[in-house]
Amino acid sequence: MQSKRVVNRRQFMKYLGFGATSAALMAACAAPAAPGATGGAQAPAQEAPAQGASGENQLEIFSWWTSGGEVEALNALYAIYSEKYPDVEIINAALAGGAGQGGNMKALLETRMQGGQPPDSFQVHLGRELIDSHVIPGRMEPLDFLYEEEGLYDVFPQDLIEIASYDGHPWSVPVNIHRSNVLWYRTDKLEAVGAEPPTTWDEFFEVAEMLKAAGIPALAVAENEPNFSGHVFETVLVAVMDPETYRGLFNGSTSWESEQVTQALEILNRAYDYANPDYLSTSWGDINDRYVADDGPAMMIMGDWTHGVLKSKGFTTYHWAPSPGTQGKFIVLSDSFGLPKNAPHRENAINWLRVCGSREGQDAFNPPKGSIPARTDADLSVYDEYQLEAMEDFKTNILVPSIQHGAAAKQSFVLDYAIALNVLATTRDVAAAQAQLIQAAEDAGFGA
């Protein structure tokens, strides 16, 4: 039986640990683990230090990369760094767990940054997530000098540099490009019912009925806490809206009261009827294991980090397509690293950013991560079929920013947005969910 549980913003913030006490307690449990130097998969660090790295020649890196594919990718960067700077001790402060991507890590990072004790560098989504959380409050150093020294203005797409920039300066170095709107489908399950991967939501529901008749859940959903539905919903919005209308949701030119928002909510609400029956008790961290299980769902709408995870599991009976209704559109997000003011080991951090932005670093990091390089001069021979297709789509598709992953809107809105979609998942009340989205947009000041 599914539990009915609605989370409000205050409770969600509590889950995320946005409080100095909870973050400090969380951090005080254990020391960080040092990364391996070989680039192979290593046991991830599970805790991060509360007071920062204190050694003379260290490099402390915050991230939430602790899953399959992520660990291998991060270790590949560490291996390059260690080869170039063998005297520097890397402190891998990766932190797992929490509500959604980066939950516990973001909570501890916020405490450290507000307390004037930043790590040397940290993973952050390119765009509004970094700008609103740490650039505007004055906690970051601009990176014009590094972009000029490393020639990054010439190898990153101009659109990407603009996303990284605020007030005329770039503030972080993108290490990859992820695509949010990917339908991962089990080839064995679709073949079992004689179905093709759906290209529209109408086709999706036709395929879902065929799967339901065969006793197979059509869609993987993990909504025991807010966030997963927020990811799926942004792809539905992009399916029912043209790109300009979608972008208008964040500058006030498109109202969250619009009929298209209602239509998107109704589509998502209907999709829950075909989800894994335990979707309200399944966590985002467990959904990949549910997906690859013999009785798992046939399809999952998720970003292409899923490709890295599935590869790390040795799972092969899957393929991919744009999520329903989004052909020709590429919902983009990017992981990046920045330079906090008063970084304890500033020169080591700058050298880390040089590795992150280098062709060598990006061609080592992205193949296991499932993403594609941010640079335009990659060695194509190291990428697989999915990644080569994604690179071509990135060049030819219309790019729109991800909501759930910090590219389109400030973090406070993302939290409220995720909670509103959790309300839909738990109550199945479209009107209530839309009312919360309208209030979230008003609180965020879109168009003000």
Side-chain angles (χ1 to χ4, degrees), residues 302-316:
M302 189 42 62
D304 51 15
W305 47 88
T306 299
H307 187 46
V309 174
L310 296 179
K311 287 197 300 184
S312 75
K313 292 179 177 295
F315 186 71
T316 59

Side-chain angles (χ1 to χ4, degrees), residues 10-46:
R10 176 175 293 180
Q11 290 169 325
F12 186 46
M13 295 290 280
K14 182 179 179 181
Y15 289 155
L16 287 177
F18 274 104
T21 302
S22 60
L25 286 172
M26 189 168 58
C29 295
T38 62
Q42 303 290 320
Q46 296 297 317

